[in-house]
Amino acid sequence: MRKMLQDIFKKDPTKKRSKLAPDAYRSMSQFYAPIAASYHDSDSIAFFLDRLANMELVPHSEKQQIGQLEWASPSAVPASSAPLLGTQTLKDIAAATCWSTYPLLATVDGVEHRAGDPIADSYAIRMWRNRGVVCVCDGCGWGPRARTASIKANQAFMDCVEELLPLAVDTHSAALILLRAVQEAHLAVIDGVEHAWEAGATAILGGLILPVARTDENGGHQYIFLSISVGDCKAFLLANRSGPDASTSLPSPRGLSLSADAAHQPAGTGSNANLASSSGDVPPRAPSKRIYDLTSSNRGTDPRDAGGFVGPQADKSKIYGGTDMDPLLLNCSLQMHPCSSKDLLLVCSDGIHDNFDPEFLGKSPMSLGGSAEKWSEIPRIESVRLRTTFRVSALEKLVAAASAPKDIAESLKNYVTELTAAGRSFMEKNGGDEPHDKKKFPGKFDHACAV
């Protein structure tokens, strides 16, 4: 394994910085050590790879990109252009959109300003003929530091993956590249920072679409989506078939979030099985697309808490150990899921997926078949199951008629914007006071990003 890392990282993609230890294996092991330590494992890299099936990949034969999409907020977005910003498309392969659903609350020099600006979400996609990489970052909190952390992490992740991608010959080497890319994202956020408070932090989800050296029933290549996540961004598989028949996932080492109700999740919590059944008032149906939440166990119950991030953990080091410049990797996962050339992938920030959460829609656990009336009164594993089942069912219903990536992106944008309209209007008319009755004012205001 050390030889594999030396081969993959013999060219240091961070040569502009001196913070990275010269021994790539030792450096990465130290970076991910808190995760392995929580499982009493001394080798953090082996800890990840031992839980991931290793399959040969089709060679990366086409070095020329088909195209790319990327977006990061300028330092300020004119209020007139928000909440709706444009949807970018890459031929008929991909689409992406990012916007703000926060209300207009201030007028400065005759210009209206939106709460929460600048937008702290960012995205990037780069596509080759038989490869693809995607990354979504959600800066933690508001302000320039959150925006800057998101942009720096996204750029560093994408650049690292692109440089090392030709060296991905199997799923283990591809996983090592993703692990390294997240480390690069963190280093980019703290680069040039002397004190932890000077830098922001960001949730990140990045993934690779890769062809494996196996053929499907039609003689074409089978594909996998190999992803790494720190925090609460989500990935969904929109399957135009019966659905994935296998997955290998690494559960969160210490639960889903930093909130007091977090509990360690057993292996297999992130499995795809039985997540598309309907519940509550979303009627059972035979959808044209089956949707699977590939990150079902990474969302805590506190919408203000991503559960983990890259960037300095600052004063959280007093609780979780390490230094104040270390990342918080509690909510970190490395996952691999099979997919086909007919499937679609959706990667999004919580500004999207929280608006499919039944709690934000004013629904009680009991109305969905749960054991109590309040969400705070049910066990966490039951909460995750109810939320996931409702979320994927609602997504299936929304995108049932959509066939192209652009249609799906715009359906999500219109749904979230319309859902939050009543609450946004209330805040604009009442000096920024946020309504708490989710039955009358459903949804959650946030920066929202969907790829």
Side-chain angles (χ1 to χ4, degrees):
M1 194 177 299
R2 289 177 183 271
K3 179 63 166 60
M4 184 191 302
L5 271 167
Q6 289 170 357
D7 290 342
I8 290 177
F9 303 130
K10 58 187 175 183
K11 183 178 180 181
D12 185 359
T14 60
K15 54 183 176 291
K16 293 182 180 179
R17 293 192 292 274
S18 59
K19 290 186 174 68
L20 199 63
D23 183 333
Y25 191 94
R26 176 170 55 85
S27 174
M28 288 177 65
S29 292
Q30 291 173 348
F31 185 79
Y32 291 103
I35 297 175
S38 65
Y39 282 97
H40 309 290
D41 196 317
S42 60
D43 190 330
S44 63
I45 305 304
F47 173 79
F48 276 101
L49 299 188
D50 287 348
R51 288 159 174 78
L52 198 72
N54 196 21
M55 295 183 287
E56 182 183 355
L57 300 175
V58 175
H60 186 31
S61 56
E62 293 285 344
K63 304 302 188 294
Q64 186 67 35
Q65 279 189 19
I66 293 175
Q68 65 180 40
L69 300 175
E70 61 181 32
W71 190 88
S73 172
S75 58
V77 177
S80 60
S81 69
L84 295 182
L85 299 176
T87 297
Q88 286 190 310
T89 59
L90 176 58
K91 300 182 179 179
D92 60 349
I93 300 172
T97 187
C98 191
W99 78 104
S100 172
T101 62
Y102 285 112
L104 298 169
L105 293 181
T107 301
V108 179
D109 296 329
V111 178
E112 290 184 309
H113 289 263
R114 191 168 297 277
D117 278 354
I119 294 173
D121 287 7
S122 63
Y123 65 75
I125 310 168
R126 298 179 190 177
M127 297 294 298
W128 294 264
R129 189 171 300 278
N130 68 350
R131 295 284 194 280
V133 57
V134 59
C135 183
V136 166
C137 290
D138 180 359
C140 299
W142 287 4
R145 290 185 299 175
R147 168 186 170 272
T148 299
S150 175
I151 294 172
K152 285 186 173 182
N154 202 316
Q155 185 70 46
F157 180 93
M158 296 296 287
D159 288 348
C160 179
V161 170
E162 180 172 357
E163 180 165 357
L164 299 176
L165 191 56
L167 302 173
V169 297
D170 53 30
T171 53
H172 275 193
S173 54
L176 288 172
I177 291 170
L178 291 182
L179 289 165
R180 176 62 174 258
V182 166
Q183 183 184 22
E184 289 295 289
H186 172 71
L187 291 174
V189 173
I190 66 172
D191 186 35
V193 172
E194 186 173 350
H195 304 288
W197 56 265
E198 297 178 56
T202 183
I204 182 171
L205 193 157
L208 284 164
I209 303 167
L210 299 166
V212 296
R214 299 179 184 177
T215 56
D216 58 25
E217 63 274 11
N218 298 316
H221 288 301
Q222 294 182 0
Y223 287 83
I224 60 161
F225 180 58
L226 181 64
S227 64
I228 187 166
S229 172
V230 182
D232 58 2
C233 295
K234 279 192 168 293
F236 298 89
L237 178 66
L238 286 63
N240 288 303
R241 64 198 203 294
S242 58
D245 55 9
S247 73
T248 301
S249 79
L250 176 69
S252 297
R254 288 184 181 173
L256 308 183
S257 74
L258 301 178
S259 54
D261 66 337
H264 172 69
Q265 299 297 306
T269 299
S271 170
N272 298 325
N274 301 318
L275 296 186
S277 58
S278 61
S279 66
D281 62 354
V282 178
R285 53 188 301 277
S288 59
K289 295 180 181 67
R290 294 290 298 273
I291 296 182
Y292 300 85
D293 185 347
L294 306 184
T295 48
S296 61
S297 62
N298 80 334
R299 189 62 171 113
T301 56
D302 184 351
R304 299 164 298 181
D305 186 359
F309 48 77
V310 296
Q313 63 174 330
D315 57 354
K316 286 186 170 64
S317 62
K318 299 174 183 177
I319 304 173
Y320 299 104
T323 72
D324 59 356
M325 296 296 280
D326 289 338
L328 191 63
L329 299 180
L330 294 184
N331 196 10
C332 175
S333 66
L334 178 71
Q335 304 196 32
M336 182 172 71
H337 298 267
C339 51
S340 81
S341 58
K342 297 180 180 180
D343 297 338
L344 295 172
L345 287 161
L346 167 64
V347 180
C348 61
S349 65
D350 63 342
I352 299 287
H353 66 72
D354 273 345
N355 284 292
F356 291 89
D357 186 304
E359 185 174 10
F360 285 105
L361 300 180
K363 301 183 184 299
S364 69
M366 192 166 289
S367 71
L368 304 177
S371 60
E373 188 63 28
K374 295 182 179 180
W375 288 98
S376 60
E377 295 174 349
I378 63 174
R380 186 174 189 79
I381 192 168
E382 180 184 352
S383 175
V384 170
R385 177 179 59 81
L386 291 175
R387 293 172 193 272
T388 300
T389 302
F390 184 92
R391 186 185 295 119
V392 296
S393 297
L395 272 168
E396 283 179 350
K397 183 178 179 181
L398 179 71
V399 304
S403 58
K406 182 180 180 181
D407 297 335
I408 293 172
E410 293 190 343
S411 293
L412 289 167
K413 180 169 61 178
N414 292 336
Y415 163 79
V416 172
T417 302
E418 292 170 8
L419 179 72
T420 54
R424 189 163 47 251
S425 177
F426 179 93
M427 292 184 70
E428 290 172 353
K429 294 176 181 178
N430 292 275
D433 292 338
E434 185 171 354
H436 298 291
D437 186 345
K438 289 302 179 183
K439 291 184 179 181
K440 291 183 179 180
F441 304 98
K444 190 192 83 167
F445 310 117
D446 207 341
H447 305 141
C449 175
V451 177

